[in-house]
Amino acid sequence: MEAAVAPAVRGLRAGCQRLCYGAGSERKWSLQSKQTSFRFCSTGMTLDNINKPTIDRIIRVDHAGEYGANRIYAGQMAVLGRTTVGPVIQQMWDQEKDHLKKFNELMVTFRVRPTVLLPFWNVAGFALGAGTALLGKEGAMACTVAVEESISDHYNSQIRTLMEEDPEKYKELLQIIKKFRDDELEHHDVGLDHNAELAPAYSLLKTAIQIGCKAAIFLSERI
Ligand SMILES: [Fe+2]
Ligand SMILES: [Fe+2]
């Protein structure tokens, strides 16, 4: 029985770790395991009692989205890193790194496999970031507005799903998603503040990117 337990799970068990999310901007995480069943802080989210297909889908697609966002900002920084908007983009990228780190942890805790499309999002994300940045800083910001609007809408629909399922059981996960949704909305507003709407063919560009985001979400939830 013991031999069948995955190494990552054994590691968690050995460390008698507990996963907790602190309130406010300060996030405090520690890990705890209880036999093979992981409890998600004080509410009852364990491997045994969650709606596994729903949680799998949510964590997989969110991990893919945050991974893609990191690649987009990497592409933007490659082109605009040394310009006046470099520090602004870097700050948003740093938050995306935090988001991705959290979903990496959740994937281990809830034994969710990543989407098979990660290698594709790696290239496509960077190309989108660099490509729009080549249109100028307004192009990069238009990309940010389009992507962040799609991601925050998507997070909102996940919040609705989890609220309908069981708001108490999924309390910590809801806290994480709401916090990240707020960060994405902030990025969206930063984009607008930095003249996203002055990008060449702004409406067309935004629509095209958002169609791509919808397709990416659809695929990453499923494969
Ligand atoms: Fe993010
Ligand atoms: Fe973001």
Side-chain angles (χ1 to χ4, degrees):
M1 180 70 176
E2 186 67 27
V5 180
V9 174
R10 272 205 308 273
L12 289 173
R13 183 190 289 181
C16 185
Q17 296 161 317
R18 183 179 176 89
L19 184 61
C20 270
Y21 187 64
S25 60
E26 191 190 17
R27 274 161 274 169
K28 290 178 182 171
W29 294 90
S30 57
L31 292 159
Q32 178 185 20
S33 77
K34 187 183 169 190
Q35 297 298 327
T36 54
S37 171
F38 298 98
R39 184 169 284 278
F40 204 49
C41 204
S42 55
T43 56
M45 194 174 167
T46 70
L47 265 179
D48 303 323
N49 72 0
I50 53 173
N51 182 342
K52 190 75 167 84
T54 300
I55 297 303
D56 271 13
R57 203 178 64 235
I58 286 176
I59 293 178
R60 180 176 306 117
V61 70
D62 290 355
H63 173 265
E66 297 298 350
Y67 180 83
N70 269 271
R71 296 303 295 154
I72 290 170
Y73 285 114
Q76 291 187 349
M77 282 301 284
V79 177
L80 297 170
R82 290 169 188 273
T83 68
T84 52
V85 290
V88 178
I89 296 170
Q90 184 65 54
Q91 206 179 0
M92 294 191 283
W93 189 11
D94 288 343
Q95 282 186 307
E96 303 299 355
K97 286 177 188 172
D98 252 23
H99 297 176
L100 180 59
K101 184 167 173 271
K102 179 48 57 198
F103 279 108
N104 274 322
E105 290 168 9
L106 291 175
M107 286 178 93
V108 174
T109 305
F110 293 100
R111 302 180 194 171
V112 178
R113 67 157 178 82
T115 170
V116 298
L117 295 168
L118 277 193
F120 180 72
W121 302 143
N122 180 5
V123 177
F126 189 90
L128 178 61
T132 50
L134 286 170
L135 298 173
K137 77 177 183 64
E138 293 81 9
M141 292 298 165
C143 172
T144 296
V145 168
V147 170
E148 302 293 11
E149 194 174 282
S150 293
I151 295 183
S152 52
D153 282 353
H154 179 66
Y155 277 149
N156 275 331
S157 97
Q158 289 185 341
I159 290 165
R160 279 193 295 275
T161 301
L162 291 173
M163 291 295 286
E164 282 165 17
E165 280 271 340
D166 190 335
E168 196 48 43
K169 186 194 294 178
Y170 298 118
K171 191 174 165 190
E172 272 81 18
L173 187 55
L174 277 162
Q175 263 183 336
I176 292 168
I177 295 177
K178 282 178 185 169
K179 164 76 172 75
F180 290 2
R181 185 265 328 263
D182 291 346
D183 288 346
E184 314 304 7
L185 284 172
E186 232 177 85
H187 299 168
H188 169 271
D189 294 348
V190 167
L192 287 179
D193 288 346
H194 286 80
N195 298 325
E197 288 160 310
L198 298 181
Y202 171 73
S203 293
L204 189 67
L205 187 64
K206 188 180 167 199
T207 305
I209 291 171
Q210 292 191 326
I211 290 170
C213 285
K214 275 195 180 136
I217 288 168
F218 180 87
L219 292 170
S220 299
E221 280 181 334
R222 288 162 178 81
I223 55 176

